[in-house]
Amino acid sequence: MRITLLIAAFCSTLFMASCAKKKPAAGSQKDSITVLYSEFHDFESVADARVDSSKGFSGKVCGVLNGQIEYGFGLGKQLKELPSYKSIEEVSISFNCLMDKAYPDDVFVISIDDTIAKKNVMWEGKSITPAKFGEWSPVNISYRISKDFLNPEYILKLYIWNKGKNTFYFDDLSFTFQKKK
């Protein structure tokens, strides 16, 4: 009887140990992210030449770029308009894109302008590279922002630059400003 109790206690201990939550090894835990501000645009209520009502990804309307439209929809804000702007470390952009092939000249741009000195203090363009061509596919782009560029009077702009004047579509454009905890 004692042996049976000992075996049962041993098995229970093993079972409980296997169910316990294990802590990740030191340094392996990912940094957590705090979202400071976000915006989402689905273009359903936009009425101008930069939208198309024949190819929407989620709904009927999406943004379009072509030989006549060089700059796509984006975001433009004075930094002091963004909550906790002094804490921004990264800006993440996501959208769905319909391209028939790669267009290396077309980029998503982040630009920060000094309104007092009337000059650009930061500009970076990243290639728009959907996971697949010929069908709607997600695109994710991130920019790190130095604290040196977080002046409340500066203007931040995020937009698609269709430098190659190619035709492609985008929908469900999302901007997320974040910091790591």
Side-chain angles (χ1 to χ4, degrees), residues 93 95 97 99 101-110 123-130 133 138-143 159-161 168:
I93 295 98
F95 56 99
C97 186
M99 283 185 171
K101 62 181 182 176
Y103 298 123
D105 289 339
D106 298 328
V107 293
F108 208 104
V109 173
I110 184 170
W123 189 98
E124 184 179 355
K126 290 191 177 182
S127 179
I128 299 169
T129 310
F133 296 102
V139 174
N140 296 295
I141 297 172
S142 292
Y143 300 96
Y159 58 91
I160 297 174
W161 182 19
F168 61 95

Side-chain angles (χ1 to χ4, degrees), residues 43-76:
F43 309 111
E44 294 301 314
S45 60
V46 176
D48 77 27
R50 298 176 295 168
V51 296
D52 180 277
S53 60
S54 67
K55 303 224 187 258
F57 173 74
S58 66
K60 295 181 180 182
V61 181
C62 65
V64 64
L65 294 164
N66 55 37
Q68 294 78 42
I69 303 171
E70 187 172 354
Y71 298 99
F73 287 98
L75 177 132

